[in-house]
Amino acid sequence: MRRNTGIRIFSLGLFLLFWNGLSVLLGDQQVLPSPLQVFHEMSVLWQQGKLQENLVATAWRVAAAFGLAMLIGGAFGYAMGRSDGLDAWLDPWLIIFLNLPALVLIVLCYLWVGLNEFAAVLAVTLSKVPMTTTIIREGARNSSSALRDLASVYRLSLLTKLRHIVLPELFPHIVSAARTGFSVIWKIVLVVEFLGRPNGIGRQIHTQFSLFDVTGVLAYALSFVICILFIEFAIMQPSEKRVGRWRVDAEA
Amino acid sequence: MLKLDLHRKSFAGHTVLEDVHLDLKQGERVAIFGPSGVGKTTLLRIIAGLDKRFVGTREAPDEIALMFQNPTLLEWRTTKENLQIFHPASDEQDIQAALSQVGLQDKADHYPRQLSVGQQRRLALARCFLTPTPLVLLDEPFTSLDQSLRQEMLTLTRAFLDKTGSALVLVTHAQDEAEALGAKYYELRNAPQNGVEFAAL
Ligand SMILES: Nc1ncnc2c1ncn2[C@@H]1O[C@H](COP(=O)(O)OP(=O)(O)O)[C@@H](O)[C@H]1O
Ligand SMILES: [Mg+2]
C-alpha cells in the first residue's frame, strides 16, 4: 500500500540531520537544541513521570471532545442533510459557528462556564461540531433514495437501517470528518490548556515558554506529535482499509 | 387484496395522476405501460406505501416486495448479507436455496462490485422473492438489459411468481414482458384524463 517506504524513512533521517546541522550552526542550545538533546529531555521527563501524566491528560480531552463533536455534528449533519426545512432553519447558525474563531469560543466558555474541565471540553467540542455537521450533511444529501425506499418497503428496523445502510453510506464522510476533526481538535486542545488548565501538553508548553526553555517546548511537542502519528498509522489508516474492503473492483 | 382508489396525485400543484383505480385479487398479475414521465413510478410508489401524499384511499398487504430498474444493492455487504439483511427471518438454508436458484451459489461471499451486471440483477431478483409476499412490485426491472439476459430474467421471474403465487404489478415499456409473465396489460395515459381502471375480472 504505502509506496517508497525506503525513501520516506531516508527523508525523515535527512530532516533530523538538517535539524542537527542547523543547531550546530547556531551553536546556542537556548535557541535550538539538537535532536539528541531533545530526545534526552524527553527521556528525563518520562522518568519523572511528567510526560505520561500530561500526555494522558491531553489525550483524554482530545478523545472526549472528538467523540462528542462526532456524535453531535453527525446527528445535526444527518438531520440537516435529510430535511430541507431543518436545513433552512439551521444553516445560518451553522455559518455563524463555522466562522467563529476557536479562540473566541475558548475565552467565552472559560468566562461563562468557569475555568474547569467541562468548559475546556465544551469549547473544543463546539469549535469542531460545525465542521463535522457540514461534512456529514453533504454525505446525507447524497444518500440513495432508492435504498431508503427499499428499507421502508421491507420494513427494516431502525437499528438495521442504521447499521447496514445509513452508516456504511455515510462512511467516507465520517472518515473525512474524523480526519479533519482529529487534526484540528488536538491543536485546539493545546490552546485550551495553554489558557486555563493545570495540566496537559498545552500547559507544559506554557510553563516551558515562560522559562524560555526551548528544549522543554520541543520535548513536549515532539512526544505529542509522535503519539498523533502513532494513532494515524496504527488506528486511522488500518480501520479505514478494513471497512473499505468492499471497494475492491471486480477481481473474482 | 390490493385496492387503490386514487383520485388525485399532484406534485407542487401539478397533477400527475387522476382517477386511477386498482383492485387486485390474490395472485393476479397486471402490467402498466405508458410513456416516460406519465407517472408510472409515482403510481408504484403510492401502491408500495412509500408516498402517502395523495387524495384517495389505499388498502394493501403489509408485506410487499419491490424491485427497481437498478439492482440497488448494499455495495458494502456481501451477496449473502444482501439477502439476510432484507429477510431477517430466513435461515441459512433459505438463503442458499435462493442463491442457487439464481445461479449465485458460489458467490455468497462476494461483494456486489465483484459480480457481473447480470449477476447483480439476479441477486436483486432473489432478494425480491426470497420470502413469499402477497404482492410484488416491479419498476421496469428488465429495461436496458441485453436480449439474452432479459429472457433469462423473465424466465426466472416467471418461475418465482408461479412458485410464490404473489400478485404482481409490473411497470414496463414492452408488451412481450407482460405476456411472458402472464400479466394483463394496461396503459397509463396522460393526466388529467388518465382514467385508468384495473378492476379484477
Ligand atoms: N418528487 C417529485 N417532485 C416533483 N415532481 C415529480 C416527482 N417525482 C415525479 N415527478 C413528476 O411526475 C411525473 C411522473 O414521474 P414518474 O412517475 O417518475 O414517471 P414514469 O415513471 O412514468 O416515467 C413527471 O413529470 C415527474 O417530473
Ligand atoms: Mg419511472
Side-chain angles (χ1 to χ4, degrees), chain A residues 4 27-29 40 107 127 223 226 245:
Chain A
N4 304 332
D28 186 350
Q29 176 196 333
H40 179 252
V107 170
S127 56
S223 31
I226 290 171
R245 266 171 317 178

Side-chain angles (χ1 to χ4, degrees), chain B residues 101-102 122 125 151-160:
Chain B
Q101 203 150 7
V102 295
R122 281 184 269 137
L125 202 64
Q151 282 313 326
E152 189 190 339
M153 290 283 288
L154 276 168
T155 311
L156 275 172
T157 308
R158 174 90 203 213
F160 274 124

Side-chain angles (χ1 to χ4, degrees), chain A residues 29-107:
Chain A
Q29 176 196 333
Q30 304 287 354
V31 177
L32 183 64
S34 71
L36 268 180
Q37 281 165 323
V38 171
F39 290 138
H40 179 252
E41 175 76 15
M42 276 163 69
S43 82
V44 170
L45 288 172
W46 178 272
Q47 270 147 31
Q48 293 171 344
K50 284 186 183 169
L51 200 59
Q52 303 91 306
E53 183 196 320
N54 289 298
L55 275 175
V56 167
T58 301
W60 185 86
R61 288 178 193 123
V62 168
F66 177 78
L68 284 173
M70 289 300 289
L71 276 178
I72 300 171
F76 271 105
Y78 185 72
M80 286 170 77
R82 297 284 313 107
S83 157
D84 286 342
L86 197 66
D87 192 39
W89 278 103
L90 293 183
D91 191 50
W93 292 52
L94 185 64
I95 291 171
I96 293 172
F97 275 93
L98 213 47
N99 289 290
L100 203 58
L103 192 59
V104 175
L105 266 173
I106 295 167
V107 170

Side-chain angles (χ1 to χ4, degrees), chain A residues 159-182:
Chain A
L159 198 68
T160 308
K161 262 193 277 195
L162 201 64
R163 232 184 97 197
H164 297 295
I165 300 182
V166 176
L167 289 180
E169 216 180 6
L170 284 180
F171 186 74
H173 290 85
I174 294 173
V175 168
S176 105
R179 278 192 164 291
T180 55
F182 189 66

Side-chain angles (χ1 to χ4, degrees), chain A residues 144-156 160 163-170 242-243 245-252, chain B residues 45 48-50 62-68 71-77 85-88 107 110-111 113-115 124 127-129:
Chain A
S144 152
S145 59
L147 275 183
R148 265 200 306 281
D149 283 353
L150 220 52
S152 164
V153 166
Y154 285 85
R155 298 182 300 164
L156 300 188
T160 308
R163 232 184 97 197
H164 297 295
I165 300 182
V166 176
L167 289 180
E169 216 180 6
L170 284 180
R242 214 186 79 78
V243 188
R245 266 171 317 178
W246 61 270
R247 282 173 200 282
V248 282
D249 284 311
E251 55 182 54
Chain B
R45 283 176 50 85
L50 289 167
D62 283 341
E63 272 153 15
I64 296 176
L66 175 65
M67 184 173 158
F68 304 110
T72 327
L73 301 168
L74 304 176
E75 293 201 14
W76 39 85
R77 294 289 181 262
I85 289 165
F86 288 92
H87 302 276
K107 307 282 182 190
H110 283 52
Y111 288 96
R113 287 207 186 175
Q114 296 170 303
L115 303 178
R127 181 183 59 195
C128 191
F129 286 99

Side-chain angles (χ1 to χ4, degrees), chain A residues 128-151:
Chain A
K128 179 51 199 161
V129 162
M131 208 195 282
T132 311
T133 304
T134 312
I135 298 174
I136 301 296
R137 177 177 65 177
E138 202 49 41
R141 276 181 182 157
N142 294 331
S143 70
S144 152
S145 59
L147 275 183
R148 265 200 306 281
D149 283 353
L150 220 52

Side-chain angles (χ1 to χ4, degrees), chain A residues 18 21 24 55 147 151 202 229:
Chain A
F18 170 74
V24 169
L55 275 175
L147 275 183
L229 288 179

